[in-house]
Amino acid sequence: MKRIKQIALIALQVFALLPAMSQEATLKGFVYDNETGEPVMFASIRLTGLERGVAAGDEGFYILQGLPAGNLRIKVFSIGYDTLTDQLYIEKGMVHVRDFHLRPVSYELNEIQVSADKIAREKNVNISGISILPEEIKMIPSTGSMPDIIQHIQTLPGIVSSGDIGGQIYIRGGAPVQNKTLLDGATIYNPIHSIGLFSVFDPDIITRAEVFTGGFEARYGGAISSVMDITSRYGNVYRYAGKAELSTIGTKLTLEGPLMKRDEQKVSNTSFLFNLRHCFYDEAIRFHYNYTGNKDPFSFTDLYGKTTIFAGNGFKANLFGFHFTDHAGMDGSPLSYDWINKGMGSHLLIMPFRSSALMEGYFAVSHYQMELTEACYVPRSSVINTVNAGLNFIQYFGESNLKYGIDLLSLKTDYLFYSTVNNATNQLEYNTEVATYMQLHLQKSRLILDPGMRLQYYASLSALLPEPRLALKFLITNRFRIKFAAGLYSQNLLSGTSDRDIINFFNGYLSAPVNIKEDYNGNSKSDALQKSEHIILGFEKEFAGILTLNAELFRKHYPQLINYNRNKLYNDIDHPEKPDILTKDFVYEEGHVEGIDLSVKLLLKNAQVTLNYSLSNTQRSFEKPDGSLFEYHPHYDRRHNVNLMAFRRFGKDKSWLANVRWHFGSGFPFTKTVGFYENLELEENAIINYLTQNGNLSIFYDEINRGRLPYYQRVDAGIRKYFVLKGNLIFEVEFNIINLFNEENIFYIDRMTGSTVNQLPFLPGLRAGIEF
């Protein structure tokens, strides 16, 4: 703990020594929406007559350095807002702070996307990173007419969902536990509800979401495959507002507004945001979807609240809390699956007056607990308690910047699992992780260079891992760019499920295990961490300003993975003479994935067409009891994955919106059934007559995942209409159909009966909502 305090103190001292040293003036501040108080990202701030300008960043922050003294005329503009002009007298050697508030006007989402995407492509490497606006989430047909970010993410290149029901997200060959999810800096475990159709994040609380499918920069750690970083929005600082919705499978309520108002500006320096969402799928199937034959009870409730304080001079602080619950079961079965995920945290943003830098701090605590109860097995459970905190700094040097910071993580994992042969795996561990990072962003002429380094220290394992990262982009022309990224990654957390299982509700978490086979393929291992190496090469091309093409070749190598040992037959304490492969709870594996992601987007005035295609090959290898290596494709390996989406606005005031999505995927791997046999239960020293004793019917399995299921195909369609009743009072209605042509996509086959269980059938959904 003393070492952690020393590192934090040094970081603060370095930050204090970085004030603006030049006698030239600096102008900085934030750009806000003057109806909601939200930051306006990528707004342009131009100095008339000086040919100088800059684009606002993620928090709406801008900074112009090296300004001459005198009167300056400033123009601030962004697509979807009125242009604002201002005049300011600049004093020599002074740092001036000026915030701008833009008034929104009628706009098309496509125009916003063109502007934001173009700036992001020109200013950032932006490789394997996808920014998602909340309105984009609502542009595809949604299950039950309840839009959700997870349904949108499933359409992105490189991302595969293992099924319509109970499915998980696999990103460029990475298992769910290898994908890190953040909400306002807090780590969210198991962010997808058991239905597999909804996340814990309602679109109405999101201001932006960033998904990094690989090659992510040094500020992110503790994940070896991908990162999803979600930032919630502020509550409205100008007026009280809200939204209430009811659909065929759920309901939700959003409330927001100012807490206190400053009379002279009619704007509050504090705001609140509250969101409640409840899914009653278990009740809906009785009334709306009785024809499907699916009686499985699923339900969830999500609560989120946030209070934000704007103290002036660039200081913002918020306090947030969340409480997510989930319940699932199987019709006619005693199986019961429940989890709860709750926590709270705080986030600060400070703009020191005399510095050309931003300081960001966060603190969060969370508790995740789940339990799976079955008729024939002892209940399985998993608990993870987390405290994470950090300080991040951004120092600006013209168009370049330096990011650096420190992250602290303390977690407790309590894991209990019983296998089918009643072998227990029980772990109670306390772990601490400390990391520091530095990321440089250099922009020189046509070259953008982002070198970085992360030092990740796992205190419980006494392991210090350097993780270099590099990303670069070269602008061959203004419309054609090539890009590259590479890096090393590690993580401590692993899942208690096996990558070889097709269906598994149990999403248990545990830290680096002790009871693990100490070598792999004859080579001893120095730690029980999971590790990966990423390398990505791509290009992006724009055609006529309305058509964009993005292509990326990628490879992820996993030199060290940890998986549940399915070969375990004995307890290592009672049977020390048995080989480790038969007694240890976990074993090492290796793996790799390579492929290409392709995205084509056509943006028209009132329409958009997007084609996302992925070609990939994912492989794992493990050590068999005889010492030989066996390679297999995990159950989520999908060779081809295609998503074609389109939407169009029409009618008076463009108040109608029609959308459609076509999804095609090649078949997932599965293990074939070779035959059946009678399994006799033999007890030691017991005398039985095998000719007369009745045994249980058991299955002869083929080699793991040598078969392939049929291809998957589905068409969804929807239509939406809004009515402006009066002022800010808007009524909206939406109708969607999932699986329009009622395709019989196989979920799994019951091996004993041979019956097929299909995924979602023809599924209409209706939603009505009012916004005020």
Side-chain angles (χ1 to χ4, degrees):
M1 196 65 190
K2 183 178 180 181
R3 180 180 295 180
I4 294 172
K5 291 180 180 179
Q6 290 174 341
I7 294 174
L9 182 60
I10 291 172
L12 286 170
Q13 290 173 339
V14 171
F15 178 70
L17 293 174
L18 292 172
M21 301 300 292
S22 173
Q23 288 301 304
E24 295 180 311
T26 296
L27 175 64
K28 63 180 181 177
F30 295 87
V31 183
Y32 297 107
D33 184 309
N34 80 344
E35 287 192 2
T36 65
E38 286 292 311
V40 179
M41 296 181 290
F42 305 119
S44 294
I45 300 90
R46 300 292 176 188
L47 302 180
T48 305
L50 290 182
E51 300 298 326
R52 292 283 305 277
V54 70
D58 291 343
E59 290 287 341
F61 177 76
Y62 75 92
I63 183 168
L64 288 162
Q65 297 170 293
L67 301 180
N71 287 311
L72 293 180
R73 291 187 60 82
I74 305 167
K75 183 167 70 172
V76 185
F77 57 94
S78 181
I79 296 293
Y81 293 89
D82 274 341
T83 299
L84 182 150
T85 57
D86 198 0
Q87 185 167 317
L88 180 66
Y89 179 76
I90 300 294
E91 297 183 32
K92 182 179 180 181
M94 295 295 293
V95 176
H96 297 265
V97 177
R98 177 67 62 93
D99 294 341
F100 299 106
H101 299 263
L102 302 183
R103 185 173 69 87
V105 295
S106 178
Y107 69 92
E108 298 292 340
L109 175 64
N110 293 13
E111 296 174 344
I112 296 290
Q113 282 184 280
V114 170
S115 176
D117 290 349
K118 187 174 187 299
I119 293 174
R121 288 193 293 266
E122 292 176 350
K123 300 295 183 182
N124 302 309
V125 175
N126 204 33
I127 189 167
S128 297
I130 303 161
S131 293
I132 302 171
L133 298 175
E135 276 301 315
E136 294 180 76
I137 300 171
K138 304 172 184 178
M139 292 297 134
I140 61 171
S142 54
T143 304
S145 293
M146 284 182 64
D148 190 272
I149 188 172
I150 211 66
Q151 298 177 40
H152 177 83
I153 286 175
Q154 292 173 9
T155 69
L156 301 178
I159 299 180
V160 170
S161 172
S162 58
D164 295 341
I165 302 174
Q168 290 287 328
I169 296 298
Y170 300 86
I171 301 180
R172 283 188 177 173
V177 74
Q178 297 159 2
N179 306 323
K180 189 171 189 175
T181 303
L182 300 170
L183 174 63
D184 296 329
T187 302
I188 304 297
Y189 303 100
N190 196 15
I192 303 176
H193 286 291
S194 56
I195 306 176
L197 304 171
F198 302 98
S199 71
V200 297
F201 313 111
D202 184 75
D204 287 337
I205 72 169
I206 297 174
T207 185
R208 71 178 182 276
E210 295 178 295
V211 180
F212 302 95
T213 57
F216 42 92
E217 62 183 39
R219 66 187 167 120
Y220 295 113
I224 62 172
S225 182
S226 68
V227 173
M228 180 167 66
D229 191 356
I230 294 176
T231 303
S232 66
R233 63 185 182 87
Y234 308 136
N236 197 310
V237 297
Y238 293 95
R239 66 180 183 88
Y240 296 104
K243 180 185 289 187
E245 292 183 357
L246 178 66
S247 74
T248 47
I249 64 172
T251 184
K252 72 175 183 179
L253 173 68
T254 303
L255 298 172
E256 60 182 304
L259 291 177
M260 295 181 293
K261 283 194 174 182
R262 296 181 289 193
D263 294 335
E264 68 276 9
Q265 297 181 22
K266 295 184 180 180
V267 60
S268 173
N269 60 358
T270 60
S271 68
F272 75 91
L273 173 67
F274 171 79
N275 177 265
L276 165 66
R277 184 172 64 159
H278 176 69
C279 174
F280 43 76
Y281 181 80
D282 50 349
E283 298 294 332
I285 55 178
R286 301 179 187 178
F287 300 99
H288 310 303
Y289 308 123
N290 206 27
Y291 65 93
T292 66
N294 185 343
K295 311 298 182 185
D296 300 338
F298 296 107
S299 63
F300 66 79
T301 302
D302 296 331
L303 283 168
Y304 180 81
K306 182 176 183 178
T307 300
T308 306
I309 300 173
F310 303 86
N313 293 323
F315 177 85
K316 307 173 192 175
N318 62 61
L319 179 67
F320 62 90
F322 55 89
H323 190 280
F324 310 134
T325 60
D326 190 285
H327 170 75
M330 299 290 285
D331 183 40
S333 168
L335 180 143
S336 177
Y337 171 75
D338 298 272
W339 61 252
I340 182 172
N341 198 344
K342 58 184 179 180
M344 62 180 296
S346 181
H347 182 272
L348 329 158
L349 186 66
I350 302 172
M351 182 180 66
F353 182 74
R354 295 291 299 176
S355 174
S356 60
L358 276 180
M359 172 182 170
E360 179 188 46
Y362 66 91
F363 174 82
V365 295
S366 65
H367 170 82
Y368 169 81
Q369 180 175 351
M370 65 82 53
E371 185 171 288
L372 178 67
T373 304
E374 297 178 90
C376 301
Y377 303 105
V378 178
R380 311 174 196 180
S381 64
S382 178
V383 176
I384 179 166
N385 294 325
T386 304
V387 178
N388 61 306
L391 289 172
N392 301 310
F393 305 92
I394 308 178
Q395 182 73 36
Y396 291 88
F397 309 96
E399 292 187 335
S400 302
N401 62 68
L402 173 67
K403 297 178 183 178
Y404 56 98
I406 181 172
D407 294 324
L408 309 174
L409 175 67
S410 176
L411 58 89
K412 168 193 170 184
T413 55
D414 189 355
Y415 175 85
L416 177 62
F417 178 83
Y418 284 85
S419 68
T420 54
V421 293
N422 213 33
N423 284 320
T425 301
N426 191 6
Q427 185 197 66
L428 175 62
E429 289 288 338
Y430 296 86
N431 292 273
T432 300
E433 299 177 19
V434 184
T436 183
Y437 73 90
M438 184 174 289
Q439 184 84 37
L440 185 62
H441 174 74
L442 294 172
Q443 189 163 355
K444 297 294 183 181
S445 184
R446 293 186 173 273
L447 177 66
I448 303 173
L449 185 64
D450 290 355
M453 172 63 76
R454 185 180 184 89
L455 293 176
Q456 188 84 22
Y457 179 63
Y458 299 94
S460 59
L461 303 174
S462 299
L464 176 64
L465 274 68
E467 299 179 359
R469 318 278 173 86
L470 175 65
L472 62 88
K473 174 182 283 186
F474 187 76
L475 285 67
I476 296 179
T477 69
N478 290 335
R479 292 187 175 183
F480 181 66
R481 313 167 191 93
I482 58 174
K483 48 191 177 178
F484 170 85
L488 302 181
Y489 305 86
S490 67
Q491 74 176 64
N492 187 12
L493 204 66
L494 66 141
S495 174
T497 59
S498 173
D499 283 348
R500 302 172 220 165
D501 292 334
I502 297 177
I503 304 171
N504 200 324
F505 278 113
F506 184 73
N507 290 311
Y509 295 91
L510 66 162
S511 53
V514 176
N515 192 4
I516 185 171
K517 189 175 181 293
E518 295 181 353
D519 64 277
Y520 174 79
N521 195 24
N523 300 316
S524 62
K525 299 292 184 177
S526 60
D527 56 58
L529 296 169
Q530 300 194 86
K531 303 173 183 179
S532 69
E533 305 158 356
H534 297 189
I535 185 167
I536 307 159
L537 177 64
F539 72 87
E540 53 193 31
K541 171 70 175 173
E542 300 167 10
F543 301 88
I546 61 172
L547 181 67
T548 60
L549 168 64
N550 187 80
E552 293 181 2
L553 289 165
F554 65 89
R555 176 178 169 83
K556 291 180 182 178
H557 176 229
Y558 299 98
Q560 189 164 299
L561 294 171
I562 297 174
N563 213 337
Y564 185 76
N565 184 11
R566 295 176 62 90
N567 293 310
K568 180 179 178 178
L569 297 176
Y570 307 100
N571 186 300
D572 57 351
I573 297 177
D574 297 333
H575 298 276
E577 77 285 356
K578 300 294 183 181
D580 286 352
I581 193 66
L582 301 179
T583 62
K584 297 299 183 181
D585 294 326
F586 295 91
V587 292
Y588 290 104
E589 292 190 357
E590 289 185 355
H592 62 88
V593 57
E594 51 273 326
I596 181 171
D597 287 341
L598 178 69
S599 181
V600 181
K601 184 180 292 187
L602 175 65
L603 294 171
L604 303 174
K605 184 177 181 181
N606 297 310
Q608 176 176 312
V609 180
T610 304
L611 172 65
N612 293 328
Y613 169 72
S614 295
L615 170 66
S616 64
N617 175 49
T618 305
Q619 285 188 300
R620 298 282 189 267
S621 61
F622 65 90
E623 195 172 359
K624 297 170 69 174
D626 62 6
S628 62
L629 294 183
F630 182 83
E631 287 192 350
Y632 70 99
H633 297 282
H635 68 88
Y636 50 85
D637 173 50
R638 171 164 274 171
R639 193 71 65 247
H640 304 278
N641 198 44
V642 184
N643 277 281
L644 177 63
M645 298 150 290
F647 70 80
R648 184 178 186 274
R649 293 185 180 87
F650 61 95
K652 185 179 179 181
D653 300 325
K654 301 298 182 289
S655 59
W656 286 89
L657 184 141
N659 50 28
V660 64
R661 174 197 177 194
W662 173 62
H663 181 202
F664 172 87
S666 55
F668 287 124
F670 78 102
T671 303
K672 296 180 178 180
T673 299
V674 175
F676 300 90
Y677 67 95
E678 186 180 14
N679 183 20
L680 299 177
E681 296 184 3
L682 304 178
E683 297 182 5
E684 191 174 356
N685 299 325
I687 299 175
I688 64 169
N689 187 340
Y690 64 88
L691 297 176
T692 58
Q693 180 179 345
N694 292 322
N696 297 317
L697 185 63
S698 296
I699 301 171
F700 275 123
Y701 293 98
D702 194 5
E703 290 187 329
I704 183 171
N705 290 348
R706 291 303 193 195
R708 289 275 176 174
L709 292 172
Y711 67 83
Y712 174 100
Q713 180 174 237
R714 197 180 88 188
V715 175
D716 306 332
I719 191 165
R720 188 171 77 204
K721 164 71 174 173
Y722 73 83
F723 305 86
V724 179
L725 303 180
K726 182 181 179 181
N728 296 313
L729 191 62
I730 299 174
F731 176 75
E732 186 175 78
V733 62
E734 180 177 2
F735 178 72
N736 287 313
I737 297 177
I738 301 301
N739 199 356
L740 180 64
F741 301 111
N742 200 27
E743 298 282 352
E744 295 184 349
N745 297 305
I746 294 178
F747 187 30
Y748 66 92
I749 299 174
D750 189 308
R751 295 183 185 273
M752 291 299 184
T753 65
S755 60
T756 299
V757 177
N758 291 326
Q759 304 200 49
L760 288 179
F762 178 90
L763 196 71
L766 180 66
R767 174 181 64 88
I770 189 163
E771 183 176 348
F772 54 91

